[in-house]
Amino acid sequence: MLEVGLPWGAKPRLILAHLNAEALRQDSPVIEVESSLSAFVKRIRGFQHGREIRAFKEQLSRLAAASVRLATFHGNRAFQVNAHVVTAFDLWLQKDERQRVLWPSTIQLSLEYFNSLREHAVPLNEADLAALAHSALALDLYAWLAQRLHRVSPNRAAFIQWPALKQQFGPDYGLMKNFKPKFRAALTQVLSRYKAALVEIDGSGMRLHNSPPPVTKRLVSLPRS
């Protein structure tokens, strides 16, 4: 049995965005990833280097095997859900015995996750993902704003204090003074792409105003190469 580590960094975030888009485009929880992921990496990175493809496929294997734990708070009550984004996958083993890596060729999203995508997903701009692909924090912030801003009341801005922002986006940064510059830099990068986002930030926190999502259509066909 081969051990598979935890997904980390920007790559699994990009992969999940690709899986979401493919599932919605095909209207199916079963996704062929062997060729589609390679084409996606080429579009995102601008080239298709073998080592880069292998790194993405390794992170896909980690994501496919991962269990995701989500916790939310409603008033004074906490709710926790333990789930797998991927419930089944076909694996093939690299022939080189010195580099034994399991790569999914086909994956199946959990029905619960797929149904949630169909009901709630907000499409992301692939060009924006490519521009932000160097930063996991920027990708998280971009995806969060895409989901959050269009749900803000047009009559009342939403205000989020710095401690809440740090808890969500940077619990591993330690002191707040270490987190704020990183967050501000990532936000600047995100807003350079998501130009319709109406966001204000100051010493107390961030104020969100109702804004259109980065992609207004429900589903956008991605180019094929």
Side-chain angles (χ1 to χ4, degrees), residues 9-165:
K11 289 182 177 64
R13 291 162 167 83
L14 293 168
I15 291 169
L16 191 57
H18 168 66
L19 296 180
N20 292 345
E22 283 293 297
L24 291 173
R25 185 182 68 83
Q26 300 176 27
D27 194 26
S28 171
V30 179
I31 306 164
E32 184 281 318
V33 294
E34 174 54 29
S35 59
S36 70
L37 181 63
S38 297
F40 172 72
V41 174
K42 184 177 180 180
R43 294 196 303 270
I44 289 291
R45 296 299 200 186
F47 61 91
Q48 195 169 344
H49 192 282
R51 183 162 48 188
E52 184 84 349
I53 295 294
R54 286 194 295 273
F56 268 87
K57 288 180 176 178
E58 181 182 359
Q59 288 296 324
L60 172 60
S61 298
R62 295 182 178 206
L63 181 63
S67 176
V68 179
R69 180 177 299 169
L70 302 174
T72 60
F73 292 90
H74 297 279
N76 60 352
R77 300 179 63 187
F79 298 85
Q80 181 170 304
V81 177
N82 298 325
H84 288 272
V85 173
V86 177
T87 55
F89 45 90
D90 293 331
L91 294 171
W92 62 277
L93 187 63
Q94 186 178 1
K95 293 181 180 180
D96 187 345
E97 294 294 327
R98 295 169 299 177
Q99 297 180 349
R100 291 174 61 85
V101 180
L102 290 171
W103 291 343
S105 57
T106 302
I107 66 98
Q108 180 174 333
L109 301 178
S110 72
L111 189 58
E112 182 180 15
Y113 182 79
F114 177 64
N115 287 337
S116 178
L117 274 181
R118 296 178 74 184
E119 186 175 355
H120 302 294
V122 175
L124 303 177
N125 188 307
E126 192 174 273
D128 294 344
L129 296 177
L132 302 172
H134 63 285
S135 170
L137 177 56
L139 289 171
D140 285 346
L141 185 52
Y142 172 76
W144 177 69
L145 289 176
Q147 285 281 348
R148 186 75 176 84
L149 289 180
H150 71 102
R151 295 188 171 97
V152 174
S153 170
N155 302 318
R156 183 179 180 182
F159 183 74
I160 304 172
Q161 296 181 335
W162 277 110
L165 292 171

Side-chain angles (χ1 to χ4, degrees), residues 149-205:
L149 289 180
H150 71 102
R151 295 188 171 97
V152 174
S153 170
N155 302 318
R156 183 179 180 182
F159 183 74
I160 304 172
Q161 296 181 335
W162 277 110
L165 292 171
K166 184 176 182 299
Q167 183 178 20
Q168 181 168 349
F169 293 100
D172 297 330
Y173 279 97
L175 299 176
M176 181 66 77
K177 67 178 182 180
N178 298 328
F179 168 70
K180 282 186 176 181
K182 298 290 186 182
F183 184 86
R184 288 179 182 272
L187 180 62
T188 297
Q189 294 168 17
V190 169
L191 295 182
S192 72
R193 300 296 311 185
Y194 187 0
K195 297 184 183 298
L198 300 178
V199 175
E200 300 169 357
I201 192 167
D202 58 27
S204 300

